[in-house]
Every structure is written in structure tokens, then in C-alpha cells.
Amino acid sequence: MDLGFNLNLEQKQKLVMTPQLQMAIEILQFSSQEMEEYIEEELAENPLLDRLDKQNYSSGIDYSVNSDKENNYENYVAYKPNLLEHLERQLYQVLEENELELGKFIIGSLDEHGFLTSSCRNIAKRFKSSVDKVESILRRIQYLDPVGIAASNVREALLIQLDSLMLDTGLAERIVRDYFDCLVEKEYSFIRKKLAANEERVMGAINLIKTLNPHPASAYNTANEVKYIVPDLIVKENRGEYLVISNEKSIPSLMINPYYHKMLKENKGTDVYEYLLGKYRSALWLMRSIEQRRFTIYRIAEAIVKEQRDFLNLGIKYLKSMTMQEVADILGMHESTVSRATTEKYLQTPQGLFELKFFFNSGVNNLSSVSIKALIADYIENEKPEFPLSDRELTELLKENRALDLSRRTVAKYRKEMGIPSSNKRRKPK
């Protein structure tokens, strides 16, 4: 066999994701807060960048250290560690040094309720470790405070908490393990019949279960905290027409610093020139990317407003079904672009403040599932307490009043998703 070196010329087509393109995609997905933080970092690193609304400092400002300390808000607020910090401190007490990296990955893979979002097999594959080792580390983490953390679901979290109690929890564990769905539906008589145990014992076990925390991370969950959201866009009505206005206050305006731009022109052929030229191009690219981001979000919001006039006029019961693909087709974009551009972006409308993703949902007869749920909730709110509407009756009302041909099972699913109990449990005696 003859081995040798050959030089061949080939022509291929392929898509190359440059760092600038990758960053542009990331910028499109940034929320207003993340965008502002990113801009602050760029302003600190790039001398060619400057704020358009930059103001001169007043000579009358007191810069004394004592004044800063006295007026620092953090001096009056007790720091509360978040869930990850709280768990990470405990990891050192239960894990060996060579297990810490894997343990940190596990607690970093928890959702807002404290449940593990990845399987032990996938974690083991990622770290090239054995499944037994991952399961061993996971078991130790699940008994940290709060107990039940990193469980796969509510049932497992409750079983872990019961196991950690210094009590006889055999009956309670059996109820959670074998009759969890009945427990959720409060079918206590059915549970008593199946267990063939006396009422006092069964109810004692159920009351013990009620003291447990089905969502271990709830004490550290910030979902219920008051959040102040600055809308990215505002919808205003003008003579029967709805206009979309970009909220310029949500993102700082940028400009090229005139001092360093002048220095760039005066130092051609030097190292200073090469450095400033790179920063100048970076600044221009950032400004163009921000403008492209603003224009993309604006076009998507404009398309949403055009399709949702009934919602803007009459409220949530008239929200039309709409998908990202439909908006992408209207604007000539890719669906993934619409998805990125609507992540954590908010639209202020006459009906309230909504995330852009709120407007994308499936439905029936061009009516969104959100609207159907609102109609069901409205019917139930106005029902007679002695004669609550059954799922079948709700189905008939939707068909008569809104021409919605839904199955009883679909109506029941929507009712359960809203946390509304069945008609039997809603019935109140006269």
C-alpha cells in the first residue's frame, strides 16, 4: 500500500456560530434586568462606551464614608441565605471531599419546589461515575434540612419525611405509598375500607401526613414575594387603535464616548489605536445588537396586539389561541427566535401586565385554554351552592353560550388545573 501526502481542495457549506452571533442570541433572550447588568459590565470594561443620559456629578454631594454607612440599606436588612447556599453549607457535613462536586451538581439541579430534575443515571453518565455512588450521595442529601429535598416528586418527599421521624409511621407510609391519589382527593372513607383499620388510627396517620411539607423548598421559594416588574413594552389606545410603545426606561441608552473616539482618531499606527479600535468595534456591535433586540421584541408584540384586539377590548375571556409558529410565520422569523425574544419580556396592556409568553397557548374554536378556564371559573363562581354545576353541565353551558364542543373529561382537566374541587365537594347543605 502506497502512503503519501496529498493536497486536495474542497468546498463545503456549513453554518459557523461566531462568538458575536452566539452573544447576539443570548442578548435577545436576556430579561430587562439581565440586559441592564450586562450593559453595566460592558460600560465598566469598554472605555468607548458611555451612557447617553450621563449627568455630571454635583459638587454638593457628600461623599463621606460615614454618610454611606448610615444610609446603606443593607445595614438594616438581615441577610437570608437562599436554598442553594443553605444546602451547600450542609454538604460538607455529610459528603467526602471527592463527592462534593457531584453533590453540588445535584442541589443545582433542583426545581422551584425542591425536586430533582435529572435522573441518577443521567448524572452518573455526566460525571462518568456509577449509579450506586450517585444514589448514595442523593440519599444523604435528601435527609438534609429541609428533609425531603431532591426527591423526585411529592410522594417520595413525604415518604422521606416520614422515615426521618422518630415515630411509628408505618400506617402513614402505607397510605402515602399505596393510596396517594385517594389522599389527594380526600377519599378518606375509601382508604379506611381498603386498609381495614379503625377510623381513629387512619385519621391519626392522615393528620400526621398533613403536618409534612409536600414541597420541601417552599420556605426558600421567592415566588410569593412581591416583585416589581418594569414592562418592556406598553400598549396604549388612541382613537380606537392600539399602539405599541417601547419602554425606553427599561434599558440604558448608549453612545460612543467622544473623548476616547477623538483619541482613536489621533493615534493611528500605534498600540493605543489598535486597542481602542477593537473596543470601538465592540461598542458598535453591542449597540446594534441592543437595537436589533428592541426591534425584534417590538415586532412580536405588535403582531400579538394585532391578533388580540378582542382581549384588549373585552378581557381575558376573549383571548384567542395563538402559537409561536403562527407569529413566526407572520413575521418571517424562526420559531426559536420568537421563543427567545419573548422569554421574561413583559407587555403592559389595558387588561394588566402580562409576560409575552402568556399569549401563546392552545385552544378550541380560536379561543385559548386560558379563556376557557376563565369561563369555567365564572360559571362556578355564579352557581348555587346547594346545586353546584357538574362537569357535564359546565360542558353544556360552554357549548350553548360559546359554541365550544368540549368533552366532559377536558372540562374536568381544566377545572382540576385551576384547583377547583368537584361538584360533590363544592356542594353546601341548605
Side-chain angles (χ1 to χ4, degrees):
M1 184 172 62
D2 184 22
L3 296 177
F5 293 100
N6 296 308
L7 184 63
N8 297 317
L9 197 62
E10 292 184 358
Q11 188 175 10
K12 291 183 179 180
Q13 281 187 334
K14 63 179 181 178
L15 179 64
V16 178
M17 290 283 285
T18 63
Q20 289 83 0
L21 180 57
Q22 293 176 13
M23 196 65 236
I25 292 172
E26 192 172 352
I27 283 175
L28 182 62
Q29 194 166 337
F30 279 162
S31 66
S32 295
Q33 184 177 354
E34 290 170 335
M35 190 73 247
E36 189 169 356
E37 290 173 357
Y38 179 73
I39 289 174
E40 290 296 334
E41 292 176 3
E42 290 295 313
L43 284 168
E45 295 178 4
N46 192 338
L48 266 295
L49 269 179
D50 207 350
R51 289 179 180 271
L52 189 61
D53 55 348
K54 186 176 180 181
Q55 297 178 349
N56 293 326
Y57 291 105
S58 169
S59 57
I61 297 177
D62 182 8
Y63 295 101
S64 64
V65 176
N66 291 335
S67 175
D68 286 341
K69 286 184 177 179
E70 290 171 4
N71 295 296
N72 189 349
Y73 178 70
E74 293 180 359
N75 293 334
Y76 303 98
V77 180
Y79 176 70
K80 181 180 178 180
N82 60 34
L83 178 62
L84 289 180
E85 293 173 328
H86 180 64
L87 291 172
E88 191 169 327
R89 290 173 185 174
Q90 300 176 73
L91 285 183
Y92 294 90
Q93 302 171 18
V94 297
L95 299 184
E96 300 294 333
E97 188 173 346
N98 61 352
E99 298 174 326
L100 286 173
E101 185 181 2
L102 208 155
K104 289 178 181 180
F105 180 84
I106 290 175
I107 65 174
S109 302
L110 305 180
D111 65 12
E112 59 182 356
H113 300 298
F115 299 136
L116 185 62
T117 58
S118 185
S119 68
C120 290
R121 186 176 299 278
N122 289 338
I123 295 173
K125 185 177 180 181
R126 180 186 180 93
F127 283 84
K128 297 179 181 179
S129 178
S130 67
V131 176
D132 290 341
K133 181 179 180 180
V134 175
E135 289 177 345
S136 172
I137 294 172
L138 177 60
R139 278 194 296 271
R140 281 173 276 169
I141 290 174
Q142 289 173 338
Y143 285 85
L144 297 177
D145 178 50
V147 179
I149 202 72
S152 58
N153 50 46
V154 173
R155 179 183 290 178
E156 186 181 4
L158 295 178
L159 288 171
I160 292 169
Q161 291 174 53
L162 287 170
D163 184 60
S164 70
L165 298 176
M166 304 297 290
L167 300 169
D168 179 11
T169 59
L171 184 60
E173 289 180 31
R174 187 179 173 190
I175 292 172
V176 173
R177 187 182 299 107
D178 300 335
Y179 304 101
F180 181 74
D181 292 336
C182 298
L183 182 67
V184 172
E185 295 295 330
K186 299 182 180 179
E187 296 175 354
Y188 302 148
S189 58
F190 179 82
I191 295 174
R192 287 199 302 269
K193 186 184 295 184
K194 284 291 184 180
L195 291 173
N198 64 59
E199 182 176 353
E200 186 177 352
R201 281 195 65 213
V202 172
M203 291 310 299
I206 290 173
N207 289 331
L208 174 62
I209 295 169
K210 288 180 179 180
T211 64
L212 306 176
N213 188 353
H215 299 119
S218 59
Y220 295 84
N221 192 351
T222 59
N224 295 324
E225 294 181 2
V226 177
K227 295 182 179 180
Y228 297 94
I229 297 173
V230 178
D232 298 87
L233 306 115
I234 301 168
V235 177
K236 289 190 176 181
E237 185 180 5
N238 182 27
R239 298 178 182 179
E241 294 295 325
Y242 288 104
L243 304 176
V244 179
I245 303 171
S246 293
N247 186 3
E248 302 297 338
K249 294 180 181 179
S250 62
I251 297 176
S253 299
L254 300 177
M255 60 177 286
I256 299 296
N257 186 293
Y259 173 78
Y260 287 103
H261 188 248
K262 182 181 179 182
M263 185 183 295
L264 172 66
K265 291 181 177 180
E266 294 175 349
N267 288 273
K268 289 185 178 181
T270 65
D271 292 341
V272 173
Y273 174 79
E274 293 299 326
Y275 170 77
L276 292 178
L277 181 61
K279 294 296 183 181
Y280 176 69
R281 289 171 176 168
S282 177
L284 288 179
W285 170 84
L286 177 60
M287 292 165 68
R288 282 195 294 265
S289 297
I290 292 173
E291 180 58 24
Q292 182 63 38
R293 172 188 182 274
R294 184 198 66 77
F295 184 61
T296 302
I297 297 170
Y298 178 85
R299 289 183 65 203
I300 293 171
E302 203 172 39
I304 290 172
V305 168
K306 186 177 179 181
E307 293 294 318
Q308 299 290 355
R309 285 187 61 84
D310 290 343
F311 162 77
L312 296 172
N313 288 326
L314 303 171
I316 199 167
K317 295 176 187 176
Y318 295 85
L319 184 69
K320 292 181 180 179
S321 62
M322 178 185 289
T323 64
M324 291 185 185
Q325 187 60 58
E326 290 172 353
V327 173
D329 291 341
I330 293 171
L331 301 177
M333 297 178 180
H334 194 276
E335 185 181 359
S336 63
T337 302
V338 177
S339 177
R340 291 188 181 99
T342 53
T343 300
E344 294 189 66
K345 313 298 189 306
Y346 293 87
L347 181 68
Q348 178 70 55
T349 74
Q351 300 297 336
L353 181 66
F354 300 92
E355 187 177 5
L356 286 179
K357 284 193 184 297
F358 166 82
F359 296 97
F360 301 120
N361 51 75
S362 59
V364 179
N365 291 359
N366 205 30
L367 195 65
S368 75
S369 57
V370 176
S371 300
I372 297 172
K373 289 179 182 179
L375 289 168
I376 293 172
D378 192 40
Y379 290 144
I380 292 175
E381 186 178 351
N382 294 301
E383 69 185 2
K384 293 181 180 179
E386 306 87 13
F387 304 102
L389 296 168
S390 66
D391 293 334
R392 177 67 63 189
E393 290 169 329
L394 288 169
T395 304
E396 292 173 357
L397 283 172
L398 289 169
K399 188 172 184 179
E400 291 173 8
N401 299 336
R402 300 304 294 268
L404 293 172
D405 192 11
L406 301 175
S407 66
R408 184 200 60 79
R409 184 175 296 179
T410 301
V411 172
K413 183 188 76 170
Y414 286 154
R415 174 181 55 76
K416 289 178 181 178
E417 286 177 357
M418 292 187 288
I420 299 175
S422 64
S423 57
N424 289 334
K425 294 177 181 177
R426 297 200 311 272
R427 181 175 286 108
K428 295 180 180 179
K430 295 182 180 179

